[in-house]
Amino acid sequence: QVQLVESGGGLVQPGGSLRLSCAASGSIFMIFDMRWYRQAPGKQRELVAAITNDGTTNYVGSVKGRFTISRDNAKNTVYLQMNALKPEDTAVYYCNIEYSQYYYSKKINYWGQGTQVTVSS
């Protein structure tokens, strides 16, 4: 069994910063990809940022230059540093991991519970 615990969300003014954290624990052999998604009211969930096992990163165009995804493999934790926040960034942010429980076993996707980020004056 796996747990994903998200933290760091909250209310911030435009131009402010937040850092989201997502810590994974449980029956994990290896985590391949770690991702952050977000979903605003009335909109589909979108991929915000992703980081691979070797540290390669990818971002949705609207956050490039403002957000930074990173990971600490020793802690099984992924972070999302969000700077220069805009009202359009307001959403529930979800952590997602792709992992395996055993050597050469199937890859499994698992979701965190979500954390609210609100950017408003």
Side-chain angles (χ1 to χ4, degrees):
Q1 51 194 52
V2 171
Q3 293 184 25
L4 292 179
V5 179
E6 300 183 30
S7 62
L11 174 64
V12 65
Q13 292 185 329
S17 298
L18 287 173
R19 190 176 82 149
L20 306 183
S21 299
C22 175
S25 62
S27 300
I28 299 170
F29 176 77
M30 179 179 294
I31 301 177
F32 299 95
D33 294 345
M34 306 184 83
R35 312 175 182 101
W36 287 99
Y37 288 78
R38 67 186 180 188
Q39 187 166 25
K43 296 184 178 180
Q44 290 186 307
R45 190 172 299 185
E46 68 171 347
L47 177 64
V48 178
I51 184 167
T52 66
N53 211 8
D54 66 357
T56 302
T57 59
N58 190 34
Y59 302 91
V60 67
S62 59
V63 309
K64 287 182 178 178
R66 300 189 296 120
F67 291 11
T68 302
I69 188 170
S70 61
R71 64 192 286 172
D72 184 338
N73 291 332
K75 297 180 178 179
N76 280 345
T77 300
V78 61
Y79 306 94
L80 186 67
Q81 178 67 46
M82 304 185 293
N83 298 325
L85 283 162
K86 304 175 181 179
E88 308 93 89
D89 297 318
T90 296
V92 177
Y93 283 70
Y94 296 91
C95 176
N96 173 266
I97 65 168
E98 185 181 66
Y99 76 100
S100 64
Q101 293 182 300
Y102 311 99
Y103 182 62
Y104 268 104
S105 64
K106 65 180 180 180
K107 294 180 178 179
I108 302 169
N109 249 250
Y110 198 82
W111 293 86
Q113 81 283 357
T115 184
Q116 177 70 48
V117 172
T118 303
V119 185
S120 176
S121 299

